[in-house]
Amino acid sequence: QLQLVESGGGLVQPGGSLRLSCAASGFTFDSYAIGWFRQAPGKEREGVSCISRRGLRTVYADSVKGRFTISRDNAKNTAYLQIDSLKPEDTAVYYCVADWDYFTLATMRPAQYAYWGQGTQVTVSS
C-alpha cells in the first residue's frame, strides 16, 4: 500500500509551535519531492512548502516564510514541517504530498500529485 500519513496537528495558542510529520510507506521515498498544502475553512487548498528529493532545495509560500521550516529524513522515510509563531490564519487541515515533479510542486499549485496524505488538523486559537 502506498501511503503518506500526517501527524502532529493539534490545538495551539497563537505564538506557539508544532511539528508536523509525514510518514511514507509503500514507495521509494527518496525518489520523490515532498510538499505541504493546507486548506482552511471556506478556502481553496494552497501550497505551503516543498522540498526536493535530497532536501537541498526548498520553497515556501510568502505567507509562511520565516515561520515554517520543511525538512526530510530519507533514512526514516519521513518529512517534517516545523511551524513556529503560529497565527490564527494558519488554522487549516495540512496535507502532505509526494511527487516526482519537484518543479511543479515548487509552484505551490494544487494538482493531481502522485500521493496525498489524509491530512492533520492544525487549529490556532486564543
Side-chain angles (χ1 to χ4, degrees):
Q1 182 79 284
L2 308 177
Q3 288 189 330
L4 294 171
V5 180
E6 301 95 333
S7 62
L11 199 161
V12 184
Q13 295 184 47
S17 296
L18 287 172
R19 190 179 75 157
L20 309 184
S21 297
C22 173
S25 63
F27 65 98
T28 305
F29 181 72
D30 61 5
S31 294
Y32 290 80
I34 300 296
W36 287 93
F37 288 75
R38 67 185 181 186
Q39 188 164 22
K43 293 190 174 182
E44 298 296 317
R45 191 168 297 185
E46 64 175 346
V48 174
S49 185
C50 67
I51 187 166
S52 61
R53 290 174 293 278
R54 291 190 178 190
L56 300 178
R57 301 279 295 180
T58 58
V59 173
Y60 296 93
D62 288 342
S63 60
V64 307
K65 286 180 180 177
R67 300 187 299 116
F68 288 24
T69 304
I70 192 170
S71 62
R72 65 190 296 165
D73 186 341
N74 287 345
K76 297 184 181 296
N77 288 348
T78 303
Y80 305 94
L81 187 68
Q82 176 70 36
I83 309 176
D84 298 318
S85 301
L86 277 159
K87 303 176 180 179
E89 54 262 42
D90 295 320
T91 295
V93 177
Y94 284 71
Y95 298 90
C96 181
V97 63
D99 202 270
W100 288 91
D101 190 351
Y102 169 76
F103 296 102
T104 298
L105 202 50
T107 69
M108 295 284 95
R109 299 177 304 188
Q112 286 191 323
Y113 297 113
Y115 306 113
W116 287 88
Q118 86 289 351
T120 185
Q121 176 71 49
V122 172
T123 302
V124 185
S125 180
S126 60

